[in-house]
Amino acid sequence: MPTIIEPFRIHSVEPLRMSTAAERREAIVKAGYNLFSLRSEDVLIDLLTDSGTGAMSSEQWACVQRGDEAYAGSPSWYRFEAAVKELFPFAHVIPTHQGRAAEKILMAAIGGPGLVIPSNTHFDTTRANIEATGAEAVDLPIAEGLDPALEHPFKGNMDLGRLDALLSARRDDVPAVFVTITNNSGGGQPVSLENLRGVRALCDRHRVPLFLDACRFAENAWFIRERESGQGGRDVADIVREIAALADGMTMSAKKDGLANIGGWLAVRDDRLAARCRNLLILTEGFPTYGGLAGRDLDAIAQGLKEVVQHDYLRYRIRSTDYLGDGLHAAGIPVMRPSGGHAVYLDARALLPHIPPLQYPGQALAIALYEAGGIRSCEIGTVMFGRHPDGSETAAALDLVRLAIPRRTYTQSHIDYVVEVCTEVAARAGELRGYRIVDEPPALRHFTARFEPLAK
Ligand code: F0G
């Protein structure tokens, strides 16, 4: 049958609180026009993030009951470690409370002033953790990845020519190369196995370790299975193991493809690096058999890792995101093509050409979607990436609005509603105004900045 159904049925429900446009306008003014500052009860369809917002399975809830809260050496830890190593057989697995804690610990161990860490595209927390050590974070996506309308199977790929040039010029300043799978800031686009092998070959030639930011590894592996020649018949778990074998370590947020509400880990091959990271872990996260997590969290993640590589789940997951992307595309709304694994990205710069990047077209569109339909999305553009450590401000490469799909959470009619709201806002795009920032923190400003609409 052509319809790919959800491979689950609903077991417990969370009511949504309906709201009027007038109530939403009041709420967004109070929030300083920052969607992160809204009370989530004032949101109808929350597409702010796919991080930690998914629904756990009945098996995962059973695992929560099984969680063992021993401070050291809990059986929950051993189940977690085994589940991670089943997919990512690195010698050392270090649990953390979420992805950025793994990043902070790793960057504290390998970063520092004068160093440079390249990636296909660093996620904002990764970049901030690199920059916090005084090192430089460099993005080297392929050129196709920067053209939102272009159809390409692996727009998350890294530009191997530019990576080779950087490593040739500054090899001694590069403590690691990172590859983000899928490339979240670049549109949730996958990286091919061929590209990963190419990055590995360059890392070998220049003797630099390769790390994965593997938050959405299962979605990336499904795209490889679907789109890369010769991969079609493979088991996704096998593809994941092949990806892991190409790397020297990984950072992970279990809030994505761990199918859990909290958690993460850092994994490395190198014994000495692992020892340094564990010492840092004990300072801020906790003992190495629980990181910042409860035993019940470790168990929920262990089960999530088994479910996330199931083909029925991934077929549904990728198709349901594409269903939103296709609906918007068919309605003539400019979206990043093809759809990402976890999100669809509206091209705000294309939809709102009358709003210059430094007046934040992505923020303007995100606010309009909230006011019109109670949809919370996330600006990924000049608000998120425009401010630099030296204080200057420039336009980001793209001004996107991300509609991130929580895993196993919303139904097809929720998504049909999202398409309707976006279509209504797009029809009056010319009326939307830009914004200015009235208050911002020194780093990661998108979380807490306050905005004001510009006069017409
Ligand atoms: N790396 C990537 C690619 C991410 O998408 C995220 C989080 C992190 C690292 C950090 O993980 O949140 O567990 O500390 N992304 C979320 C998002 C917040 O909405 O895309 P974390």
Side-chain angles (χ1 to χ4, degrees):
M1 297 297 154
T3 301
I4 294 168
I5 62 169
E6 288 82 355
F8 51 80
R9 60 188 177 193
I10 293 166
H11 168 252
S12 94
V13 298
E14 287 180 273
L16 295 177
R17 192 178 70 75
M18 299 297 160
S19 57
T20 64
E23 287 167 344
R24 293 192 291 265
R25 267 192 292 278
E26 198 185 315
I28 194 72
V29 170
K30 219 193 269 173
Y33 293 97
N34 188 326
L35 295 146
F36 284 98
S37 302
L38 289 170
R39 299 172 76 106
S40 67
E41 300 133 308
D42 293 333
V43 173
L44 213 44
I45 309 282
D46 204 346
L47 307 184
L48 181 67
T49 180
D50 63 320
S51 179
T53 51
M56 292 212 295
S57 66
S58 47
E59 265 317 302
Q60 282 179 292
W61 285 109
C63 288
V64 165
Q65 280 297 322
R66 210 172 294 136
D68 181 301
E69 304 304 337
Y71 187 92
S74 141
S76 298
W77 152 251
Y78 288 104
R79 287 191 285 263
F80 168 88
E81 187 192 33
V84 172
K85 287 191 174 179
E86 173 70 19
L87 294 170
F88 301 97
F90 294 113
H92 304 280
V93 177
I94 299 171
T96 59
H97 78 275
Q98 61 184 82
R100 67 198 70 182
E103 292 163 8
K104 177 165 196 297
I105 288 166
L106 179 66
M107 296 313 167
I110 69 170
L115 302 180
V116 54
I117 300 184
S119 172
N120 49 346
T121 310
H122 291 288
F123 185 65
D124 59 350
T125 58
T126 324
R127 168 172 289 276
N129 274 305
I130 291 169
E131 290 173 351
T133 72
E136 193 189 340
V138 173
D139 294 337
L140 303 173
I142 55 168
E144 292 90 332
L146 297 177
D147 180 352
L150 185 82
E151 297 277 353
H152 181 288
F154 292 105
K155 275 173 126 173
N157 282 353
M158 194 155 180
D159 186 325
L160 299 180
R162 290 201 290 160
L163 178 61
D164 194 19
L166 177 78
L167 291 174
S168 300
R170 301 187 57 184
R171 181 257 160 273
D172 290 340
D173 300 334
V174 183
V177 171
F178 255 75
V179 180
T180 311
I181 58 170
T182 57
N183 185 3
N184 184 8
S185 307
Q189 302 291 325
V191 177
S192 69
L193 257 185
E194 185 190 14
N195 188 253
L196 280 164
R197 290 189 194 116
V199 174
R200 176 75 249 174
L202 288 174
C203 287
D204 283 343
R205 173 131 56 85
H206 296 279
R207 308 237 205 120
V208 175
L210 170 60
F211 278 81
L212 303 168
D213 175 344
C215 296
R216 300 177 180 85
F217 69 86
E219 292 169 6
N220 199 104
W222 181 259
F223 281 123
I224 287 172
R225 186 178 189 274
E226 291 284 283
R227 296 183 184 169
E228 193 158 349
S229 78
Q231 303 300 322
R234 286 184 75 182
D235 182 23
V236 161
D238 259 0
I239 296 175
V240 173
R241 280 187 285 269
E242 183 173 347
I243 293 171
L246 291 167
D248 298 290
M250 68 188 292
T251 56
M252 175 71 190
S253 169
K255 302 172 74 171
K256 285 83 168 175
D257 276 351
L259 295 181
N261 301 120
I262 197 69
W265 69 85
L266 168 65
V268 299
R269 279 190 211 296
D270 186 80
D271 298 342
R272 278 171 49 196
L273 177 60
R276 284 189 67 191
C277 291
R278 284 203 178 95
N279 288 332
L280 291 167
L281 182 87
I282 290 172
L283 276 182
T284 59
E285 291 282 300
F287 190 72
T289 63
Y290 74 86
L293 298 169
R296 63 180 79 101
D297 301 324
L298 294 167
D299 261 311
I301 296 166
Q303 175 62 22
L305 291 175
K306 297 189 177 92
E307 295 175 12
V308 80
V309 291
Q310 289 172 7
H311 291 193
D312 285 345
Y313 162 72
L314 284 167
R315 187 175 293 113
Y316 141 79
R317 168 70 176 160
I318 298 304
R319 174 60 198 138
S320 59
T321 305
D322 205 26
Y323 178 81
L324 172 59
D326 280 354
L328 295 168
H329 191 53
I333 297 166
V335 287
M336 182 138 190
R337 299 297 295 168
S339 301
H342 68 297
V344 173
Y345 295 67
L346 304 171
D347 185 348
R349 206 176 278 174
L351 184 65
L352 306 173
H354 60 291
I355 302 180
L358 294 183
Q359 294 179 11
Y360 316 123
Q363 190 69 19
L365 180 56
I367 292 165
L369 296 178
Y370 174 70
E371 289 179 346
I375 297 166
R376 178 155 68 171
S377 55
C378 184
E379 193 264 11
I380 302 211
T382 302
V383 175
M384 189 179 273
F385 297 115
R387 181 69 73 198
H388 307 292
D390 67 3
S392 63
E393 188 183 27
T394 56
L398 300 169
D399 276 299
L400 304 174
V401 170
R402 184 182 72 171
L403 304 171
I405 317 293
R407 294 169 180 77
R408 309 189 287 205
T409 301
Y410 289 111
T411 65
Q412 193 162 333
S413 63
H414 289 123
I415 299 301
D416 288 337
Y417 170 84
V418 172
V419 175
E420 287 167 16
V421 172
C422 291
T423 307
E424 190 274 321
V425 169
R428 53 182 175 80
E431 292 166 23
L432 303 192
R433 293 175 286 168
Y435 283 78
R436 71 184 191 93
I437 291 181
V438 291
D439 186 31
E440 66 179 281
L444 297 176
R445 66 176 179 177
H446 54 286
F447 288 128
T448 54
R450 295 181 71 83
F451 300 82
E452 233 173 48
L454 291 166
K456 270 217 167 93

